[in-house]
Amino acid sequence: MTPAPTTPRTGRRRHDREIIALAVPAFGALVAEPLFVMVDSAVVGHLGTPQLAGLGIAAALLMTAVSIFVFLAYATTAAVARRVGAGDLPAAIRQGMDGIWLALLLGAVVVALAIPSVPWLVDVFGASDTAAPYAITYLRISSFGIPAMLVVLAATGVLRGLQDTRTPLYVAIGGFTANGILNVTLVYGAGLGIAGSAWGTVIAQVGMAVAYLIVVVRGARRHGASLRPDAAGIRASARAGVPLLVRTLSLRAVLMIATAVAARLGDTDIAAHQIILSLWSLTAFALDAIAIAGQAIIGRYLGAEDEKGAREACRRMVEWGIGCGIALGVLIVLARPLFIPLFTSDPAVKDTLLPALLVVAVSQPIAGVVFVLDGVLMGAGDGRYLAWAMLVTLAVFAPVALLVPALGGGLTALWWAMTLMMAVRLITLWVRTRSGRWIVTGATR
């Protein structure tokens, strides 16, 4: 029997099924980190504005320390997916194991450097005298969870490359639940204050890392992949991640500049900024769920030397990004009376928060396309271009953001600068995608 011919409609449906199957579970895993911060913000926020301001600075620094190594997930996803597409499953898993060993090594180095630098880092961020002690306490304790966070990144990349986003979802649900329970218990039940919030997050992150390691190690043994560290493989993983490291450092610099500017605007502004940034991170990761699907799908198509499938999948995911961005923008506007009281009861923080929040809502459709195209190019292994594009974006954003306090602007002006940053990213990514130069087929790029 001759199979029915593929039409544009059936092609879209096929891509939709793939995107949904990977993106919906990926969403739960992706939002784990911002949900951790949101839970911490909600619990600590009721201790007082100085505590919330301190958490805002500490959380920004901690996320920077961890997120600059997000290439452990992204580069591993693309590399593993390519080998899956090429039909070499043992090599795919071996590639993932190299990423996990690299994560452990990097985690140990980061902790050794971070802990003695905590007071200096907080001071550089311009924390007020009232917020600084809380920021130092939270950051010192939470730094011990960094190795676990990096292992989670690498192991998640392995599973995504294997087209499995369900397992990370289950682990994320368990981690988020444990974090919420531990935060409330240690902050209020044990009376540890902001220190209890930090310890709760560390314990939850370690539990997540252990769960991931159990799953990945079982898979490696099942497919005959070695568990021993391989120096050449670890070096290769590190080299592949360098361009994405540059890209991520530039992006984190954008977020650090924004937080530093908000801190200099005053405790009220930094507290409001922390709430908005928590929400912005949540919506960003929600949109990035489509991008994660893109990394896995694009990598698999290119590994299988299916250029047409890669192009069609890219086009469809952009359409999904636009639609989801519009939906999230509307949701932010409609739901703001419900979620703002969860984070603060301070009228001054609320007044500062509202207009900036509307700017975030307007920018969501732009963000939807940006995150999707970012994921497509990551899935293609086009890290070098992503690095240069993000450096250009940083060069545009930094002077604009730093002028906000000098020109008497407030938090709303700062978030308009953030919207400009996303617009520049959209232009650079769209130009590259239209050129087709990102399409390189085969088991390796």
Side-chain angles (χ1 to χ4, degrees):
M1 181 176 179
T2 303
T6 301
T7 65
R9 177 175 293 182
T10 59
R12 286 195 299 272
R13 288 176 178 173
R14 175 167 54 86
H15 290 305
D16 287 346
R17 287 194 295 270
E18 284 189 320
I19 293 168
I20 292 171
L22 290 171
V24 172
F27 170 75
L30 282 168
V31 300
E33 202 59 51
L35 282 176
F36 272 42
V37 177
M38 288 182 74
V39 167
D40 290 359
S41 298
V43 174
V44 172
H46 291 285
L47 293 175
T49 298
Q51 288 90 333
L52 182 58
L55 173 64
I57 294 169
L61 287 165
L62 179 65
M63 292 304 298
T64 298
V66 174
S67 296
I68 59 175
F69 299 110
V70 75
F71 71 83
L72 291 166
Y74 292 159
T76 302
T77 297
V80 171
R82 274 185 177 268
R83 286 163 174 78
V84 169
D88 192 350
L89 191 58
I93 297 176
R94 176 66 263 176
Q95 179 81 33
M97 290 302 304
D98 291 335
I100 290 174
W101 281 111
L102 178 61
L104 286 170
L105 292 173
L106 291 173
V109 172
V110 172
V111 171
L113 294 174
I115 291 178
S117 304
V118 165
W120 175 79
L121 290 170
V122 171
D123 183 62
V124 167
F125 256 63
S128 68
D129 292 339
T130 54
Y134 299 109
I136 291 171
T137 297
Y138 188 93
L139 189 57
R140 273 182 174 157
I141 296 171
S142 58
S143 293
F144 289 104
I146 289 175
M149 295 178 189
L150 298 192
V151 169
V152 167
L153 287 175
T156 301
V158 177
L159 296 178
R160 289 173 184 166
L162 294 171
Q163 317 293 295
D164 176 11
T165 56
R166 290 184 177 273
T167 300
L169 171 62
Y170 301 146
V171 176
I173 292 173
F176 172 69
T177 302
N179 183 60
I181 294 172
L182 288 167
N183 261 262
V184 173
T185 301
L186 296 177
V187 171
Y188 296 114
L192 296 180
I194 197 170
S197 177
W199 279 119
T201 300
V202 169
I203 295 169
Q205 291 284 359
V206 170
M208 291 175 66
V210 170
Y212 272 118
L213 286 174
I214 291 172
V215 173
V216 174
V217 168
R218 285 178 177 173
R221 288 175 173 169
R222 185 166 59 250
H223 294 284
S226 175
L227 297 175
R228 294 181 178 179
D230 177 69
I234 293 172
R235 286 195 299 268
S237 294
R239 284 194 299 270
V242 168
L244 290 180
L245 176 60
V246 173
R247 170 256 180 202
T248 305
L249 281 171
S250 301
L251 178 57
R252 295 310 303 182
V254 166
L255 299 179
M256 284 195 299
I257 289 170
T259 300
V261 170
R264 282 166 172 78
L265 294 175
D267 281 1
T268 297
D269 290 85
I270 186 59
H273 177 75
Q274 169 60 19
I275 295 171
I276 295 176
L277 193 59
S278 297
L279 178 65
W280 187 79
S281 298
L282 178 60
T283 60
F285 279 108
L287 293 170
D288 208 24
I290 306 171
I292 293 302
Q295 290 177 32
I297 293 170
I298 294 297
R300 192 188 73 235
Y301 275 126
L302 295 179
E305 302 188 0
D306 187 352
E307 179 179 334
K308 180 182 177 182
R311 288 183 180 274
E312 290 177 349
C314 174
R315 187 178 305 112
R316 189 56 177 162
M317 282 183 283
V318 168
E319 295 171 355
W320 273 76
I322 294 171
C324 290
I326 293 172
L328 284 172
V330 172
L331 182 61
I332 290 172
V333 173
L334 295 179
R336 67 188 189 282
L338 299 177
F339 62 77
I340 290 177
L342 296 175
F343 295 98
T344 182
S345 56
D346 189 330
V349 174
K350 290 181 179 180
D351 291 342
T352 303
L353 175 68
L354 283 172
L357 195 62
L358 294 178
V359 175
V360 174
V362 170
S363 69
Q364 289 306 297
I366 298 174
V369 179
V370 166
F371 283 105
V372 165
L373 294 183
D374 209 37
V376 166
L377 296 184
M378 284 182 186
D382 200 12
R384 182 170 297 181
Y385 180 83
L386 289 171
W388 282 110
M390 199 61 226
L391 285 171
V392 170
T393 302
L394 175 60
V396 174
F397 170 79
V400 175
L402 293 173
L403 281 173
V404 168
L407 297 177
L411 191 65
T412 302
L414 176 60
W415 276 93
W416 275 119
M418 291 287 287
T419 302
L420 171 64
M421 178 271 295
M422 295 300 292
V424 175
R425 291 187 69 191
L426 174 62
I427 293 170
T428 57
L429 296 174
W430 184 262
V431 168
R432 183 65 167 183
T433 307
R434 293 287 293 177
S435 74
R437 296 178 65 184
W438 55 280
I439 298 178
V440 179
T441 58
T444 58
R445 183 178 173 86

